[in-house]
Amino acid sequence: MLQPFPFPYQTITLYPMVDQTIRIIYGKDAKAMAKALLDSYGLSDAIQGKESFVLKPNLVNPTRPENGATTHTGILEAVIEYLQAEGKKDITIAESSWVGASTEEAFSVNGYRKLADRYGIRLLDIKKDRFRTLSYDGISMEISETILSADYLINLPVLKGHCQTRITSAMKNLKGCISDRSKREFHRLGLMKPIAALNMLVKPSLTIVDSICGDLDFEEGGTPVETDRMMLSSDPIALDILGASLMGYAPEEIPYITIAAAYSGRSARLEDLEIIELNKPEKGSARPKGTAGRLATHTDPDEACSACYASLIHALKRLDDEGGLGKLKGRRIAVGQGWRGKSMDIGSGACCQKALHGVKGCPPSASDILDMLNNL
Ligand code: SF4
């Protein structure tokens, strides 16, 4: 006998179709990594019929990329060369440093001025641009005309910590597209809802996340954590969901992610992302300093890949923030290829599969490591 169809007694959540594919590459050469990501994505097809291109890096302040705050120029070189090889001529790098910092100085310190001269492209300090006032969900903001009028906006953020929003990456980088007056207003409103609203008004066609050495917990840099990683996607929300996990947070802990997902009527689940790895991480030689160095005293690295070691440092930072470092009671966490085939107490990553307490993944995310540490 036919069973009655469960509807309407069973709740089925239907989300709109969003391409949540993220491409990841590991390495140290920013230009080569970005080029490989663009080739894999097939940018050539995506930009057919597009004429004006705006590249939006993160130049929060005049500091070099190796300090963990700003976008490596190699990524911009790769994108510009790709576009110019496709015959595209109207290319602008546009940015506005945070309130109180000079974007012009950040352009100089980071070598963007030389880059613009070399490729014959435009450099725009958004602080000097014209703005259009737009609103979303009751939040008004002044957005750069150049950003709004671009045929194709390429967002080039840095994945790093942030003292108020916990992480900053794809979605929050768009804050550099608004006037300083609107930035101040965003802070007055607590950042979370305004950032989500901004992402409903400005939608980059493509985002490449510079995750080579983002800062542990401050957007202005100073405590870089070598990660040797880069991600590309057309979906900023997906990139931030993954970025949160890589830094030890669930999406719900970064409210602007879940607010933006709700605005878009879609999921904010890590499990819904499709990850394509173009290669695997390689052994690094990172020796963290400052706060990261203090956390590293709880680790026992042996030929650890940078991305793997960075996940462990971020997990330890989260554990420290929660006041849980004491539970380690002097035990150190093994990490790295040198541990393959060996037994140990606590280990992180597939190379430490013989650990008494361990977490899989190659590399594992900081949130998975944190779960394991919290269950010790
Ligand atoms: S599990 Fe091993 S090979 Fe994989 S990222 Fe970690 S250290 Fe590298």
Side-chain angles (χ1 to χ4, degrees), residues 205-220:
S205 301
L206 192 66
T207 300
I208 303 176
V209 178
D210 182 345
S211 180
I212 292 177
C213 59
D215 196 83
L216 184 66
D217 46 11
F218 291 110
E219 72 169 324
E220 67 267 43

Side-chain angles (χ1 to χ4, degrees), residues 166 216-217 247 249 291 294-295 314-325 370:
R166 295 189 167 136
L216 184 66
D217 46 11
M247 294 191 69
Y249 295 106
T291 308
R294 175 176 61 78
L295 296 168
H314 283 297
L316 287 167
K317 177 70 171 66
R318 301 289 84 77
L319 193 67
D320 193 22
D321 291 345
E322 294 166 9
L325 263 188
L370 184 62

Side-chain angles (χ1 to χ4, degrees), residues 246-325:
L246 293 172
M247 294 191 69
Y249 295 106
E252 310 80 67
E253 293 179 272
I254 318 293
Y256 63 74
I257 296 178
T258 43
I259 298 170
Y263 280 157
S264 314
R266 54 177 284 188
S267 91
R269 292 182 312 202
L270 190 63
E271 310 83 69
D272 291 341
L273 309 184
E274 187 183 336
I275 310 289
I276 300 173
E277 281 187 321
L278 302 195
N279 61 2
K280 293 303 288 181
E282 291 181 3
K283 283 178 247 179
S285 53
R287 286 291 164 261
K289 300 184 186 107
T291 308
R294 175 176 61 78
L295 296 168
T297 60
H298 299 277
T299 72
D300 196 351
D302 188 357
E303 300 183 2
C305 302
S306 300
C308 209
Y309 200 23
S311 286
L312 180 55
I313 295 294
H314 283 297
L316 287 167
K317 177 70 171 66
R318 301 289 84 77
L319 193 67
D320 193 22
D321 291 345
E322 294 166 9
L325 263 188

Side-chain angles (χ1 to χ4, degrees), residues 25-30 33 212 227-230 279-281:
I25 190 165
Y26 299 95
K28 290 182 182 296
D29 183 336
M33 291 158 77
I212 292 177
T227 319
D228 296 344
R229 182 176 54 202
M230 198 178 289
N279 61 2
K280 293 303 288 181

Side-chain angles (χ1 to χ4, degrees), residues 4 9 41 78 89 94 152 174 239 287 318 326 330:
Y9 306 106
Y41 177 67
K89 294 186 175 64
Y152 202 91
L174 298 183
L239 283 164
R287 286 291 164 261
R318 301 289 84 77

